[in-house]
Amino acid sequence: MYKLTFTPTSFTGWRSLAKLPEEIKRLQATKILIVTDPFLHKIGITNAIEKPLQEIGCTIEIYTEVVPEPPLAIGEKLVEFTRKHQFDLVIGLGGGSALDLAKIAAVLSAHDGNVRDYLNLTGSKTLQEKGLPKILIPTTSGTGSEVTNIAVLSLETTKDVITHDYLLADVAIVDPELTVSLPPNVTAATGIDALTHAIEAYVSKNANPVTDALAIKAIQLISSSIRIAVKDGNDKMARSDMSYGSYLAGLAFFNAGVAGVHALAYPLGGQFHIAHGDSNAVLLPYVMGYIRQSCEARMKDILEAMHISADGLSQEEASYKCIEALGHLVKDVEIPLSLQGFNIPEDALELLTEDATKQSRLLARSPMVLERDDIFTIYKAAFNGIVTEPSK
């Protein structure tokens, strides 16, 4: 038996944002908080939301104190602001950081204490109420935050999460048109993030037939469109495929989980403030190469989902070819293929390893048990840019 959880209502497809006023009416909200980043507000994307909602009588407050990989202090400040102003509904508009902060604002505004009290690794409190209704609208094709019950915050050297079904969106609106303004480097990083979600969900110990179907379709869509979307952001088909792929990958990893790549990526973001998508991208070939022996058959499936023939290849041969293909894809979208490419010094590997070992929630899903020595070896491989396997 498998438990599957999904956001109650989702709208997907070009110009699906038009459904927003109707959903606001259904949820009977009139005083609305929009959590977004300053760039989206500056280029006017918030106008596409603000104007139609004002026309139906809503009062709008736009909160733009959002930064990539948001630190705990940003979350604390937003929750305090939300409590003070007594909103009816929260809209998250943007990438994963804005969506995660919107979730936190909506739920924790109905709770006592600080955000820190509810963190997964160190918190002492559990969520007791659903809080305000929330609508999540991604402007990237990457994080899948619009369909998950997770909010990620940066701590001093690593990251932690708040996770509970109360954080699920009441409505997710996934409109590819909103991603057209994404610059190439963000398209690449968020796209590889989404691909990593699908791949890790497919090899997860918690994978099941439903998540497998979602993950494989996501890999097909993303691998065939990411290069085009990075090169030509106005390509409607590529943007649509990336958007659908990210959405499906989000559904897959929310129900099956991610593992080693994300566990090792969190400290990169925490210690060196590398964007989450870039952190996943630089580690993806090395983590998957290290655990290859534990999931050869599944890596052959991934290779074929990437539209690369595995005819005549054994599972072992196909798994090696899959690792090679992942490295080529990361390189093609111009993300560095080694930690040195992000100016990370070799003497940082020990502290990275120490923080990664604390990500027990993620590591538990890996098809291969990853102990401290394994994690250090993977970081070392990523530093040197050479895929390494466990010594026999």
Side-chain angles (χ1 to χ4, degrees):
M1 182 182 75
Y2 305 103
K3 178 186 176 184
L4 299 163
T5 305
F6 299 97
T7 294
T9 302
S10 295
F11 296 96
T12 64
W14 207 262
R15 297 190 177 168
S16 54
L17 184 62
K19 299 296 293 185
L20 180 60
E22 179 183 324
E23 290 303 301
I24 293 291
K25 289 180 180 178
R26 181 177 66 83
L27 293 168
Q28 300 180 327
T30 58
K31 188 176 181 182
I32 297 168
L33 172 65
I34 298 176
V35 179
T36 190
D37 67 66
F39 175 74
L40 292 178
H41 186 47
K42 181 180 179 181
I43 66 175
I45 287 184
T46 49
N47 292 337
I49 292 179
E50 190 174 10
K51 186 176 179 181
L53 297 190
Q54 288 173 336
E55 289 174 352
I56 62 172
C58 294
T59 301
I60 309 296
E61 182 79 34
I62 299 178
Y63 190 96
T64 61
E65 293 188 45
V66 173
V67 297
E69 320 299 321
L72 182 62
I74 294 285
E76 300 281 12
K77 186 175 181 180
L78 174 57
V79 168
E80 182 180 348
F81 177 87
T82 309
R83 288 171 177 165
K84 180 179 178 181
H85 289 84
Q86 298 183 323
F87 295 101
D88 297 330
L89 180 143
V90 178
I91 294 175
L93 173 72
S97 297
L99 302 191
D100 285 1
L101 286 171
K103 295 177 186 180
I104 291 170
V107 177
L108 289 186
S109 61
H111 290 77
D112 295 325
N114 299 316
V115 175
R116 180 182 291 276
D117 299 331
Y118 298 90
L119 292 174
N120 177 65
L121 294 177
T122 58
S124 58
K125 295 185 177 182
T126 57
L127 299 177
Q128 302 296 325
E129 297 184 46
K130 185 176 182 293
L132 299 173
K134 49 201 166 299
I135 297 177
L136 302 181
I137 306 170
T139 60
T140 69
S141 297
T143 69
S145 180
E146 70 276 7
V147 293
T148 72
N149 68 357
I150 305 164
V152 184
L153 291 167
S154 295
L155 305 182
E156 290 183 3
T157 61
T158 187
K159 295 184 180 183
D160 202 351
V161 303
I162 300 173
T163 177
H164 194 286
D165 282 354
Y166 288 153
L167 271 70
L168 281 170
D170 294 271
V171 180
I173 299 178
V174 184
D175 187 339
E177 189 173 26
L178 296 175
T179 69
V180 170
S181 62
L182 277 183
N185 63 318
V186 181
T187 299
T190 56
I192 297 294
D193 186 20
L195 181 66
T196 304
H197 292 155
I199 289 172
E200 290 212 281
Y202 191 66
V203 301
S204 168
K205 289 174 66 175
N206 296 337
N208 62 69
V210 176
T211 60
D212 285 351
L214 294 167
I216 286 295
K217 186 62 179 179
I219 294 167
Q220 291 171 348
L221 289 168
I222 295 166
S223 63
S224 64
S225 58
I226 186 170
R227 293 178 176 89
I228 300 169
V230 169
K231 184 177 180 180
D232 179 8
N234 292 307
D235 189 297
K236 184 175 179 179
M237 181 62 72
R239 287 296 192 187
S240 294
D241 283 352
M242 288 297 297
S243 186
Y244 283 123
S246 173
Y247 175 74
L248 293 172
L251 294 175
F253 95 81
F254 173 42
N255 285 282
V258 289
V261 179
H262 278 72
L264 274 65
Y266 277 6
L268 286 180
Q271 294 182 34
F272 294 96
H273 308 292
I274 298 173
H276 178 62
D278 286 329
S279 298
N280 277 331
V282 71
L283 291 168
L284 180 61
Y286 305 103
V287 175
M288 297 307 297
Y290 193 83
I291 69 170
R292 180 197 61 78
Q293 297 172 43
S294 67
C295 51
E296 286 182 351
R298 297 220 147 208
M299 293 192 73
K300 183 177 182 179
D301 295 338
I302 292 168
L303 178 69
E304 292 175 327
M306 293 176 70
H307 312 282
I308 299 172
S309 174
D311 290 349
L313 298 180
S314 66
Q315 290 181 356
E316 181 182 27
E317 291 168 336
S319 67
Y320 279 118
K321 191 171 182 178
C322 181
I323 301 305
E324 183 180 352
L326 292 175
H328 285 319
L329 181 54
V330 172
K331 184 178 180 180
D332 287 349
V333 297
E334 299 185 4
I335 297 175
L337 262 175
S338 77
L339 296 183
Q340 294 182 64
F342 288 98
N343 298 314
I344 294 173
E346 188 170 9
D347 61 11
L349 301 187
E350 285 287 354
L351 184 55
L352 287 170
T353 299
E354 181 180 331
D355 282 343
T357 59
K358 299 174 184 176
Q359 298 295 332
S360 55
R361 178 182 65 91
L362 303 176
L363 293 170
R365 303 170 186 141
S366 174
M368 175 185 287
V369 175
L370 295 176
E371 304 287 359
R372 191 186 194 286
D373 288 348
D374 300 307
I375 292 170
F376 180 83
T377 301
I378 295 169
Y379 277 131
K380 183 79 170 179
F383 178 82
N384 292 325
I386 300 171
V387 174
T388 304
E389 294 195 3
S391 56
K392 296 181 180 179

